[in-house]
């Protein structure tokens, strides 16, 4: 379908639970916000500790994490931006999604190893703007949602930039980044992450003057139907879009996991199905149960396919009832059990040697990767020697990690003794080393140490 590398499936996470659920459901990457500078100020968002933990977890599974720093930043806030980003950057953050041009330049200068993604809040509508941002160091753009598939294809072909577009979720009435409605009527700016969504409220429409004046009943003239492109996936892949983005950081973790799992299924089907190579006009056949599940995960009145094949039109607006009216609790419970409560494990082989007079050895292997940790020489027991069964019981305590021991080979000398507390330390060190080797194997950063401290003007 025109690409050698599979398209990235990018899922939202508004909480720690949402992050893990999205990864377990098959997301290639997850975008999320920290405690500051994100366009979803009212999501749960992540503490720095949760972010660094989440990055490491994602990298173990070969997935990426992108941080939203996509609000307009005031001059006095720049002194906080470096300290906010530094520990997350050092933890191996893969990319940052940016709206503010000053923030873009700041991050490029002070965090040189970080990918810069231009947020849809930048309102990119053509190849000239995209080319300018490429010169500024941007490697990926999220264009305005109002672009057609032909316009998106032109940007990609002209600039060579990676393009990320929305494939599912809520739609804004206004060009992203250009809406001041919430700020004007309620003092809550969408460009500062605090949109109150006044476009979802009912209004009365007046027309004519004097005796000709007419007032309609309440309707929702500014509320767009939700986006759903599940049937269009072959066309979107054929257009060369590099990342498919699901909207929903403010929604439940079950929503993000459930939608991710369904899109994962059909993206994989596109690549596995030989008929999918037949061209961009092909429509994907969707199982009725999956179509129903997408509707039941987050129930808004109607769906649409966005601007990919239409310029605009009243059929895009949900005039009658755009409000969220619940979700299917039975479906949410099933998704919770499958993706949020069930933690997948990586099988490893465990090997250990505790021979009297020799260094203690603990090894963990995963596929071709293997790490070995050495401990102090094993002394002879004064009283009761340690048994291989006791050592195995301690070494297999991997419950708080991503691993499970499926093979074990534990040996202990007949009169050997080793403190079980020290055995636990060897196990933890072996786990840490194997994690880092797996992250390197996946081509992802373990940590970075090349940040450049800024010299900021006094304010």
């Amino acid at each position: 379908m025109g690409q050698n590398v599979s398209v990235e499936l990018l899922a939202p996470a508004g909480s720690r639970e949402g992050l893990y659920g999205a990864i377990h459901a098959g997301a290639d990457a997850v975008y999320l916000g920290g405690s500051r500078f994100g366009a979803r100020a009212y999501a749960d968002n992540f503490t720095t500790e949760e972010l660094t933990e989440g990055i490491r977890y994602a990298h173990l599974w070969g997935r990426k994490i992108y941080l939203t720093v996509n609000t307009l930043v005031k001059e006095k806030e720049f002194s906080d931006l470096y300290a906010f980003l530094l520990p997350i950057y050092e933890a191996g953050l893969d990319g940052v999604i940016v709206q503010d041009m000053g923030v873009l330049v700041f991050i490029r200068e002070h965090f040189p190893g970080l990918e810069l993604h231009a947020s849809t809040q930048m309102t990119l509508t053509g190849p000239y703007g995209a080319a300018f941002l490429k010169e500024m160091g941007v490697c990926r753009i999220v264009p305005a949602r109002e672009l057609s598939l032909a316009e998106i294809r032109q940007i990609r072909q002209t600039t060579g930039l990676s393009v990320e577009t929305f494939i599912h979720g809520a739609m804004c009435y206004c060009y992203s980044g250009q809406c001041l409605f919430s700020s004007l009527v309620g003092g809550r700016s969408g460009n500062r992450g605090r949109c109150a969504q006044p476009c979802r409220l009912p209004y009365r429409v007046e027309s004519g003057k004097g005796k000709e004046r007419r007032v309609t009943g309440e309707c929702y003239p500014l509320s767009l139907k939700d986006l759903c492109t599940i049937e269009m996936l072959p066309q979107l892949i054929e257009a060369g879009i590099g990342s498919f983005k699901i909207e929903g950081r403010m929604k439940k973790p079950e929503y993000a996991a459930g939608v991710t799992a369904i899109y994962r299924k059909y993206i994989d089907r596109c690549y596995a199905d030989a008929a999918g190579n037949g061209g961009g006009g092909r429509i994907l056949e969707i199982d009725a149960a999956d179509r129903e599940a997408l509707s039941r995960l987050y129930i808004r009145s109607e769906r649409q396919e966005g601007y990919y094949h239409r310029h605009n039109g009243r059929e895009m607006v949900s005039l009658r009832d755009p409000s969220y009216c619940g979700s299917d609790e039975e479906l949410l419970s099933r998704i919770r059990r499958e993706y949020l409560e069930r933690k997948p494990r990586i099988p490893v082989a465990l090997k250990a040697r505790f021979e009297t007079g020799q260094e203690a050895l603990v090894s963990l292997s995963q596929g071709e990767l293997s790490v070995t940790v050495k401990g102090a020489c094993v002394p002879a027991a004064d009283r009761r020697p340690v048994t291989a069964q006791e050592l195995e019981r301690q070494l297999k305590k991997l419950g708080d990690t991503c691993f499970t021991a499926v093979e074990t080979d534990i040996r202990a000398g007949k009169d050997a003794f080793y403190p079980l507390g020290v055995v636990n330390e060897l196990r933890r060190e072996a786990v840490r080393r194997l994690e880092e080797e797996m992250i390197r194997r996946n081509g992802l950063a373990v940590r970075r140490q090349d940040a450049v401290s800024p010299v900021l003007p006094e304010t």
Side-chain angles (χ1 to χ4, degrees):
M1 283 178 285
Q3 286 189 328
N4 295 323
V5 180
S6 296
V7 67
E8 175 186 85
L9 178 57
L10 178 57
S15 66
R16 181 177 181 274
E17 188 178 36
L19 167 61
Y20 294 137
I23 291 173
H24 301 164
D28 298 303
V30 178
Y31 69 102
L32 43 75
S35 58
R36 300 191 61 186
F37 306 110
R40 291 292 182 269
Y42 300 110
D44 289 344
N45 291 317
F46 291 74
T47 65
T48 297
E49 182 179 357
E50 289 172 337
L51 280 168
T52 56
E53 174 190 316
I55 289 167
R56 188 174 183 86
Y57 186 82
H59 286 181
L60 270 175
W61 293 97
R63 318 298 169 81
K64 294 183 177 182
I65 298 292
Y66 305 136
L67 183 69
T68 57
V69 186
N70 56 345
T71 58
L72 299 179
V73 176
K74 296 180 180 180
E75 196 67 24
K76 63 183 180 182
E77 295 170 338
F78 270 83
S79 59
D80 299 329
L81 181 58
Y82 181 82
F84 168 72
L85 282 176
L86 181 61
I88 311 168
Y89 177 76
E90 290 180 337
L93 179 66
D94 298 288
V96 63
I97 305 169
V98 176
Q99 174 188 13
D100 190 304
M101 287 296 295
V103 170
L104 189 155
V105 174
F106 182 90
I107 293 175
R108 183 190 66 190
E109 292 179 356
H110 299 294
F111 300 96
L114 198 52
E115 284 191 5
L116 290 166
H117 300 180
S119 170
T120 191
Q121 296 291 112
M122 278 196 172
T123 328
L124 286 166
T125 58
Y128 288 108
F132 169 74
L133 287 174
K134 183 178 181 179
E135 293 177 1
M136 297 291 290
V138 168
C139 66
R140 176 186 291 188
I141 63 166
V142 190
R145 305 183 204 200
E146 294 75 15
L147 299 191
S148 69
L149 207 54
E151 291 169 322
I152 292 169
R153 184 184 290 110
Q154 182 187 18
I155 291 174
R156 186 191 63 80
Q157 292 175 345
T158 302
T159 65
L161 284 167
S162 172
V163 177
E164 172 187 308
T165 65
F166 287 91
I167 59 166
H168 194 92
M171 292 282 285
C172 293
Y173 185 86
C174 185
Y175 273 89
S176 299
Q178 300 299 308
C179 184
L180 300 177
F181 194 14
S182 178
S183 179
L184 290 172
V185 301
R188 287 171 48 177
S189 172
N191 288 317
R192 295 282 291 171
R194 295 174 172 83
C195 179
Q197 296 189 322
C199 55
R200 299 295 185 191
L201 298 177
Y203 295 89
R204 289 190 297 271
V205 179
E206 297 184 6
S207 61
K209 296 181 179 179
K211 294 182 179 180
E212 301 297 322
R213 179 173 174 269
R214 295 189 302 276
V215 180
T216 67
E218 286 189 345
C219 61
Y220 299 83
L222 304 178
S223 183
L224 295 188
K225 300 174 184 177
D226 279 4
L227 178 68
C228 180
T229 66
I230 191 74
E231 292 177 333
M232 295 175 56
L233 291 177
Q235 302 170 54
L236 302 180
I237 293 172
E238 184 68 25
I241 297 170
S243 181
F244 290 169
K245 188 171 193 173
I246 298 168
E247 182 275 337
R249 282 197 290 136
M250 294 288 288
K251 296 187 177 80
K252 296 178 180 179
E254 294 89 341
Y255 166 87
V259 173
T260 297
I262 293 172
Y263 274 90
R264 174 81 278 155
K265 173 181 176 179
Y266 288 98
I267 289 171
D268 291 347
R269 183 175 292 183
C270 285
Y271 286 99
D273 186 354
N277 294 315
R282 179 176 173 267
I283 298 297
L284 193 62
E285 293 295 330
I286 309 300
D287 297 342
D290 292 326
R291 193 190 306 277
E292 178 69 12
L294 285 175
S295 297
R296 288 160 52 206
L297 276 167
Y298 185 89
I299 302 171
R300 203 186 287 276
S301 53
E302 297 173 280
R303 306 256 173 175
Q304 57 152 325
E305 293 183 344
Y307 295 90
Y308 289 115
H309 292 304
R310 68 156 65 86
H311 178 59
N312 54 37
R314 64 178 295 136
E315 69 277 8
M316 299 178 70
V317 181
S318 185
L319 289 172
R320 293 191 299 272
D321 184 10
S323 60
Y324 167 65
C325 57
S327 50
D328 188 313
E329 293 302 321
E330 182 179 343
L331 176 60
L332 294 185
S333 295
R334 179 176 63 79
I335 292 170
R336 170 169 286 278
R337 291 192 300 271
E338 188 168 353
Y339 299 115
L340 275 63
E341 295 175 353
R342 183 185 63 85
K343 186 176 181 180
R345 300 284 181 176
I346 300 170
V348 296
L350 170 62
K351 183 178 180 180
R353 298 289 181 269
F354 290 84
E355 302 287 354
T356 308
Q358 300 181 27
E359 289 179 315
L361 299 177
V362 175
S363 299
L364 285 176
S365 302
Q366 205 284 316
E368 297 180 355
L369 287 182
S370 181
V371 298
T372 298
V373 176
K374 296 180 180 181
C377 285
V378 180
D382 291 334
R383 297 179 183 175
R384 189 177 70 83
V386 69
T387 66
Q389 291 77 14
E390 289 172 323
L391 291 168
E392 181 172 357
R393 189 160 53 246
Q394 292 300 117
L395 291 170
K396 288 180 69 175
K397 290 181 178 180
L398 300 169
D400 59 345
T401 75
C402 294
F403 302 125
T404 183
V406 294
E407 295 181 36
T408 58
D409 180 5
I410 313 296
R411 299 182 188 178
K414 290 183 179 179
D415 61 344
F417 173 78
Y418 220 76
L420 295 183
V422 182
V423 173
N424 291 338
E425 292 176 6
L426 294 176
R427 183 197 67 233
R428 286 191 287 266
E429 179 61 17
V431 166
R432 186 190 68 80
R433 292 188 189 181
L434 182 59
E435 286 179 349
E436 294 198 354
E437 289 302 315
M438 289 180 62
I439 291 170
R440 289 191 182 94
R441 180 186 65 184
N442 291 335
L444 299 167
V446 177
R447 65 173 64 88
R448 297 190 181 93
Q449 296 178 328
D450 59 351
V452 180
S453 297
V455 178
L456 296 171
E458 295 184 4
T459 57

